[in-house]
Amino acid sequence: GKDKVKITKLEVWNNTKNATLMAERAKNCNIVRTEMGVPFLVTPEGTCLNGDQPIIDHFKSLNL
């Protein structure tokens, strides 16, 4: 499964460039800063997933 998915991990607590990128991506998905959190995933289709369970459910739905 993991060979079929490319994941780019970005640290956002200490890296302001990555934090800004995350905020921009969240804004594009109409997620306000107060609702934004880690983990945060943007799919290749541009869908934003925020939180453990939505991300787990997404990967389960891929049937890899």
Side-chain angles (χ1 to χ4, degrees):
K2 74 178 185 177
D3 295 337
K4 296 179 183 179
V5 177
K6 181 179 184 237
I7 296 175
T8 303
K9 297 179 189 179
L10 300 175
E11 196 285 319
V12 296
W13 185 257
N14 295 305
N15 187 312
T16 54
K17 181 180 175 186
N18 290 343
T20 300
L21 178 61
M22 180 179 163
E24 289 171 359
R25 293 285 178 89
K27 185 178 179 183
N28 289 342
C29 289
N30 297 315
I31 297 173
V32 295
R33 189 175 287 270
T34 56
E35 295 175 0
M36 187 177 67
V38 175
F40 181 79
L41 174 76
V42 180
T43 69
E45 300 78 28
T47 301
C48 295
L49 302 170
N50 199 17
D52 295 352
Q53 200 57 54
I55 292 171
I56 291 167
D57 293 344
H58 169 72
F59 281 111
K60 284 182 177 179
S61 76
L62 296 178
N63 296 316
L64 298 176

